[in-house]
Amino acid sequence: GAVVSQHPSRVICKSGTSVKIECRSLDFQATTMFWYRQFPKQSLMLMATSNEGSKATYEQGVEKDKFLINHASLTLSTLTVTSAHPEDSSFYICSAQKPAGTPYEQYFGPGTRLTVT
Amino acid sequence: DAKTTQPTSMDCAEGRAANLPCNHSTISGNEYVYWYRQIHSQGPQYIIHGLKNNETNEMASLIITEDRKSSTLILPHATLRDTAVYYCIVRVEAGANNLFFGTGTRLTVIP
C-alpha cells in the first residue's frame, strides 16, 4: 500500500509562537505533496502545492510568509505556521502524490489538529 | 476541474446498499470521476475512480451514466463504519494536480 504519516497528530500552542507539521510518505517517493486546511464543518481547502526541490505554489489568499513549506526530500514535506493566531486553529491535512501512471496517486495523511490559544 | 453536485446528507440502514449520487454535467472527455470519503477527524480515503465504464473494487461499485453527466457510488452492504462524508471529484488523471473537494454527502448508517 501507500502510507502517509503526519506528525504531530495534534498540537496546542500559544498565540505568537510557530508550529511545524511534518508530512512523510513512508513507502513511496513523492515528488509532489499538497497541504490542505479544514475548518469545522467545512470541506478541505487546498493551501499549497509542494514540489521537491523547488518553491511551493500557494493558493490565492494563503500567505506564503505565514505558512512556510519545505519539501527537501522525496519523502518529507513540512508546513510551519509562523506567529500563530487563534484563527489559524484548524485541521491540517497533507497528501502525497505517487509518480504518474498509478490510478489513485494521491494518498492522504491522518491530519494534524492545531489549536492556538 | 468540473464541478460536482451531491446531496448534503443521506441515511442508510445497516446492511442495506447505500447509493450515493453525483451530478457532473460539465465533465470533460479526459476527466475521471473519483470518490473519496472522510471519516470524522481523519484524512480522506480513496474509494474508487472511473472514466466511463462501471468499476468495482473491494470497497464499492461506481456506476457512470452513458453520457457521463452523473454517477452513483454504491456501498453494497453498509456498516456503521461507513458513516462518513463522501466526496465526488472529477479531474484529469495525469499530472500533479490537486483534488478539489466540494461539500460532499454526509452518509449516516443507522443501526
Side-chain angles (χ1 to χ4, degrees), chain A:
Chain A
V3 180
V4 176
S5 70
Q6 280 185 242
H7 178 80
S9 58
R10 58 178 63 235
V11 57
I12 300 173
C13 72
K14 292 187 176 181
S15 186
T17 62
S18 295
V19 174
K20 179 185 286 188
I21 302 170
E22 293 186 348
C23 176
R24 293 181 185 273
S25 55
L26 299 184
D27 51 2
F28 66 98
Q29 293 184 329
T31 53
T32 303
M33 291 184 173
F34 302 93
W35 286 96
Y36 296 82
R37 180 167 53 182
Q38 186 175 34
F39 292 106
K41 299 188 185 300
Q42 294 185 24
S43 190
L44 284 78
M45 294 297 293
L46 179 70
M47 297 177 66
T49 302
S50 168
N51 292 297
E52 187 266 338
S54 63
K55 291 184 178 181
T57 303
Y58 291 82
E59 294 299 299
Q60 191 172 9
V62 178
E63 300 175 55
K64 62 179 181 181
D65 295 329
K66 180 173 181 60
F67 299 98
L68 302 179
I69 293 174
N70 184 280
H71 192 160
S73 78
L74 289 172
T75 60
L76 172 65
S77 176
T78 61
L79 168 67
T80 301
V81 182
T82 63
S83 186
H85 291 286
E87 56 265 32
D88 298 323
S89 297
S90 187
F91 192 49
Y92 292 86
I93 307 169
C94 73
S95 71
Q97 178 152 311
K98 276 190 168 183
T102 50
Y104 40 93
E105 64 269 20
Q106 275 199 48
Y107 296 87
F108 286 82
T112 296
R113 187 162 301 283
L114 170 64
T115 303
V116 184
T117 61

Side-chain angles (χ1 to χ4, degrees), chain B residues 10-20 37 59-61 72-83 86 107-111:
Chain B
M10 293 181 63
D11 292 340
C12 176
E14 186 178 18
R16 304 296 293 269
N19 297 289
L20 291 89
R37 73 180 182 183
M59 290 183 68
S61 294
T72 301
L73 177 74
I74 301 173
L75 307 179
H77 305 287
T79 71
L80 298 179
R81 288 177 296 180
D82 292 323
T83 293
Y86 287 76
L107 175 69
T108 302
V109 180
I110 302 170

Side-chain angles (χ1 to χ4, degrees), chain B residues 39-79:
Chain B
I39 295 170
H40 182 63
S41 294
Q42 297 183 24
Q45 176 190 22
Y46 166 83
I47 301 174
I48 199 168
H49 84 295
L51 182 61
K52 54 184 178 181
N53 296 323
N54 297 337
E55 302 287 345
T56 295
N57 63 20
E58 64 277 5
M59 290 183 68
S61 294
L62 173 60
I63 309 298
I64 303 174
T65 58
E66 192 169 342
D67 62 8
R68 302 209 323 124
K69 293 185 177 182
S70 65
S71 61
T72 301
L73 177 74
I74 301 173
L75 307 179
H77 305 287
T79 71

